[in-house]
Every structure is written in C-alpha cells, then in structure tokens.
Amino acid sequence: MTDSRPSNAALAARDLRHLWHPCTQMHDHVHGGVPMIPIVRGEGPWLIDADGKRYLDGISSWWTNLFGHAHPRLATALAEQAAQLEHVIFAGFTHQPAIELAEELVRVTPPGLERVFLADNGSAAIEVALKMSFHYWLNQGRGAKTRFIALTGSYHGETLGALSVSDVALYRKTYAPLLLTPILAPSPDAYQGEPGESPAEVAARQLVELRALLERHAHETCAVIVEPLVQCAGGMRMYHPDYLAGLRRLCDEFGVHFIADEIAVGFGRTGTLFACEQAGVAPDFLCLSKGLTGGFLPLSAVLTTAPVYEAFYAEYGAGKAFLHSHSYTGNPLACRVALETLAIFRDEPVLERNRRRAAHLAARLAPLADHPHVADVRQSGLIAAVELVADKASRRPFPAAERRGLRVYRHGLEHGALLRPLGDVVYFMPPYVMDEADLDRLVDVALAGIERALAL
Ligand SMILES: *Cc1c(COP(=O)(O)O)cnc(C)c1O
C-alpha cells in the first residue's frame, strides 16, 4: 500500500515558501534549524504530525484549548451549527446561539456583569473594553478622561490599543511610536518582591503605589486594566488576590473603571471559574476569549454592568451609541461551540478534577525549587512556571541571546512534547484533559530539557 499523504518535510517546505507566522523570526525556520511542524490531527492532549509523530500539548495551543483537540462534543456542535446557520450579520439580526451564550455568560460570571458585547479575538475584546470605558466617561460629560493605567509586565494583546496597555518590551518596544502612553503602575508580581516579603505584602505595597498614581491621575484616567492573578505573556508572573480586592476598592474610591482581562486565566485556569472570584470582586469590564470556545474558534466577549450600558442608552439623535463593529461579530459557529464548552463545565466536575491534577503537577515540580539554576517555581491552578536563571542568589538572568528557553522547546519537540518557554520561563498550561500519567510524561521531558538547556 502506498501512502500519498505529504510528509513533514514536504509540507514544511511549502509552508515556508508563502506563509509568514506569528511571533516568529522566520529565519529560525529557514536557516536556524528550528523545525516547522505540520500537524494533521489532534486527539485529546495530543497533536500528531504528518510523519505520525505525537506531541503532548503542554501549552494548550497558546492557552486556548481546555478539553483536548478535536473534542467530539464540540466537533458535533460545530458541524450541526454549520449545517444550519454559519453566519449572519449581527446588526439588526440575532440568533439563538448568541442569545443563549449571553445568558449563560451572565449566569456564570461574577455578579453585576449583565451586558455582553461580542468580538472575535482577545485583542479585539481589549479594544472594545478600552473604547467603551472611554466612551462611558465621555457620555457622562467627562471627556478629559482619556488615559489608562496598566501594570508593568502586563500583556493585553498586539493590536495598537491592546499593545498600548501592554508592557512586555519584546512586543511593545518597536511599535512604541505608534501607541498611546499608559500610566504604568508597578506590578504586584510576587517574584519581584523584596527578600522575605510575602505575596500579600507585595500586593499591599503595590496598592500604596497605585493609590498614589490614582491621586495624581484619576481625573484623566478611564480605567485600570489588569490580568487577574497571573501576568501570563509577561512570564507567568503571579500575585496575591488581595491586590484585586484593593484595586476594586481604589477604582470605586477614585471613580475609574476596573477592566479584568481574563482572556488567558478565565474558564478555570487558576482554580476558580474566573480568577476574580478568588478576591471576591467583580470588575466593570470582563474580557474573555481563548478558552471560551474550548480552543475551537476565535471568539471573545466583553461583559459589563448595567450602569455602563445605560450611559450609552438614549434616543438616536443623542449620538451616544457605542461604535465598534467587526464583520464576524457574534458568529453563530463560534457561539454554538462556546455554549457547548460551557455545557461541559456544567456536566463534568472540571474544577474538582483540575484541582487534583494541579496538586499532582505541583508535587512533580517541587524538587526543582532546590535546583541551582531555578530561581522560582510558582503555580496557580493549572498554570505552573519554572524561572531559570544564571545565578540563583542574585536571580541574574541568562543573557537573552543564549536563548536557553529555545533549547527546552527544541528538546521538547524531539521528545514528543510541546513546551514553549517564555524567554527562560519554562511553563506548563496543559489542557484539562491531560491526566496524571501524561502530566508525568510532560514533566519528565521538561526536566531533561531544562538540564540540557543549562548544560549549554
Ligand atoms: C492572548 C491574550 C490576549 C490577546 O488575545 P488574542 O486573541 O491573541 O488577540 C489578551 N490578553 C491576554 C491576557 C492574553 O493572554
């Protein structure tokens, strides 16, 4: 029998002739020896390439996948919806998947969030939240509020508005001349605490700094935007929930909005359905995407409060309507798959199972804390990160040009695991269907990869 399916090599060569990949210096693939891997199939936590090699997806395919690849329930929901209504203009028209999704999102998110605005990716949700916050204040006669407060080390996406409120140099620096200038508040990141300071103490100290910024800038500030509990793209930096509780109080006191970007941490990632729950707070804007469709389709949602909605509600001539439109807003396929994703949360003990798996992962990673080149092992639910450094005592990082993390990535691929360190932070963000045995496998590959990267 002859197999006429193209090989890895054949597909990769064709890819590199015409495609341009995100977050990639293409030279790495063309001349740098980093393989371009064509995936033909997904199965639970596994990705399978054109040569039949299997990879454990240790990062949920950029944090999107919750319940595994090609999940039968989600695939069926998608197929059924495609055969019925694939898309319809979402201005003047509506459909049941969007209606039910809005109802369900309002039900499961923190209290007070009653209005759902849909968009089609995470960055777009951030753009919506920023514009909506600004426009709210404008409609209230507060047009002087034009600025945003963001945290150092934050990441909110890469469209110009979202990038404006991001503080990861790799993504921001080059485009800085095009961007808004946010007011940066120091991150409550526990890793950057003083020696001996607890995460709660770091949070309290950085709230004092935030208060000082609000005292000076609240009159010109629309909102404070944060990634609740984990600054993901900034290196999986984690902080104490007290910061969110304090942030909520300060936003109320100073009359600015609280935008929670739960695009990466929402839907159970940190142990609770939403990270804000751990502080017992509800934001004024909640941005969701990534896991919203279980990793199947691009979709995002911005939830907000009745008072925000009411500030836009007036007869047409008042000119107060919110303006932000994408052709694919409210796409029925994406909404239908998102509904099915939420149904899985209702039907299965997802958070409970995740807690057991998170504990297993923690136990496996604990020994690394004593490693001479590991400065920190941290975890929040099913996000775990290992910070590799040149010098443990001073926490001096390796020179970036050594690309130690890339070594771990390449080792992972050779040994059947997708690990994609952020710089020298090796992290684990597995799909929720990865069981203890596969977690063991993933950690074993990572541990060997870390040794190899350090031996450089
Ligand atoms: C990924 C991410 C975004 C951007 O989402 P995209 O869909 O990639 O545009 C925004 N905020 C956070 C916290 C993210 O992790």
Side-chain angles (χ1 to χ4, degrees):
M1 210 175 78
T2 56
D3 190 349
S4 61
R5 287 182 318 172
S7 66
N8 273 9
L11 287 171
R14 280 168 61 195
D15 173 289
L16 295 176
R17 270 201 291 279
H18 294 296
L19 283 164
W20 193 341
H21 289 262
C23 205
T24 298
Q25 171 47 265
M26 294 299 291
H27 181 275
D28 277 355
H29 293 294
V30 179
H31 288 111
V34 178
M36 175 58 67
I37 302 186
I39 294 298
V40 295
R41 212 151 51 81
E43 211 177 81
W46 293 95
L47 294 165
I48 299 146
D49 75 15
D51 292 346
K53 183 168 177 178
R54 296 161 70 85
Y55 308 84
L56 265 178
D57 187 350
I59 61 160
S60 298
S61 281
W62 257 348
W63 322 343
T64 58
N65 193 292
L66 301 185
F67 298 116
H69 294 280
H71 191 286
R73 238 178 115 165
L74 300 180
T76 302
L78 174 57
E80 283 176 7
Q81 186 60 44
Q84 191 178 330
L85 174 67
E86 80 305 331
H87 187 62
V88 60
I89 177 175
F90 204 58
F93 291 79
T94 192
H95 51 82
Q96 208 165 329
I99 294 165
E100 288 178 15
L101 178 61
E103 289 168 350
E104 191 60 12
L105 285 174
V106 166
R107 194 181 71 77
V108 299
T109 51
L113 298 166
E114 307 187 348
R115 251 328 131 170
V116 182
F117 193 95
L118 298 170
D120 42 28
N121 61 71
S123 300
I126 299 298
E127 302 291 338
V128 167
L130 299 177
K131 284 173 69 178
M132 220 179 242
S133 174
F134 161 78
H135 200 165
Y136 167 90
W137 294 113
L138 183 67
N139 283 349
Q140 303 284 73
R142 304 287 304 277
K145 281 179 174 282
T146 56
R147 302 190 69 188
F148 296 91
I149 296 180
L151 298 182
T152 55
S154 59
Y155 178 93
H156 298 290
E158 294 178 53
T159 52
L160 295 179
L163 189 59
S164 289
V165 290
S166 298
D167 181 49
V168 177
L170 172 67
Y171 307 111
R172 189 181 208 283
K173 207 169 137 221
T174 309
Y175 306 102
L178 305 181
L179 305 178
L180 307 170
T181 43
I183 299 156
L184 284 179
S187 169
D189 170 15
Y191 182 72
Q192 293 178 66
E194 307 289 343
E197 204 177 22
S198 73
E201 287 164 346
V202 181
R205 179 161 58 80
Q206 301 302 27
L207 280 169
V208 174
E209 299 294 321
L210 179 61
R211 167 178 285 280
L213 283 176
L214 285 166
E215 279 167 356
R216 260 182 295 145
H217 296 289
H219 68 283
E220 56 172 345
T221 299
C222 302
V224 181
I225 180 167
V226 302
E227 294 161 89
L229 298 187
V230 188
Q231 296 187 291
C232 291
M236 301 297 167
R237 295 297 182 81
M238 299 178 185
Y239 61 88
H240 196 277
D242 280 1
Y243 189 82
L244 298 173
L247 171 61
R248 177 69 275 178
R249 286 193 297 273
L250 287 171
C251 285
D252 290 340
E253 182 181 338
F254 285 93
V256 304
H257 289 139
F258 168 7
I259 302 174
D261 174 356
E262 295 221 17
I263 289 165
V265 296
F267 300 106
R269 209 24 102 171
T270 67
T272 43
L273 194 56
F274 298 100
C276 282
E277 291 171 31
Q278 293 182 42
V281 297
D284 299 294
F285 298 91
L286 176 66
C287 300
L288 304 173
S289 188
K290 292 197 169 130
L292 175 56
T293 61
F296 262 56
L297 288 163
L299 178 68
S300 61
V302 180
L303 280 88
T304 191
T305 61
V308 168
Y309 179 75
E310 279 152 20
F312 292 80
Y313 189 85
E315 55 85 23
Y316 183 83
K320 287 188 169 182
F322 183 59
L323 290 170
H324 188 96
S325 25
H326 290 292
S327 314
Y328 279 98
T329 301
N331 177 255
L333 300 172
C335 291
R336 180 69 186 82
V337 175
L339 266 177
E340 199 66 19
T341 301
L342 292 173
I344 294 175
F345 277 99
R346 284 198 307 275
D347 296 345
E348 298 179 18
V350 178
L351 298 180
E352 192 187 311
R353 201 169 53 206
N354 284 1
R355 266 194 288 284
R356 285 199 306 276
R357 290 183 177 157
H360 185 78
L361 186 57
R364 283 300 318 273
L365 296 177
L368 273 173
D370 297 325
H371 192 289
H373 286 288
V374 171
D376 194 29
V377 180
R378 51 183 175 263
Q379 188 171 349
S380 176
L382 276 178
I383 306 175
V386 177
E387 185 112 16
L388 303 181
V389 290
D391 182 67
K392 190 172 178 120
S394 66
R395 295 186 159 184
R396 177 168 50 83
F398 286 109
E402 292 179 7
R403 303 182 78 184
R404 304 262 174 171
L406 182 64
R407 278 292 195 101
V408 177
Y409 173 73
R410 296 186 64 169
H411 176 88
L413 293 182
E414 282 169 34
H415 294 84
L418 169 49
L419 296 158
R420 201 174 190 277
L422 294 155
D424 294 336
V425 176
V426 180
Y427 73 90
F428 304 84
M429 199 148 161
Y432 303 163
V433 292
M434 196 179 290
D435 64 14
E436 281 78 353
D438 284 339
L439 282 172
D440 280 344
R441 214 187 287 243
L442 186 69
V443 170
D444 287 341
V445 175
L447 295 179
I450 287 170
E451 287 315 318
R452 212 166 135 188
L454 293 172
L456 184 72

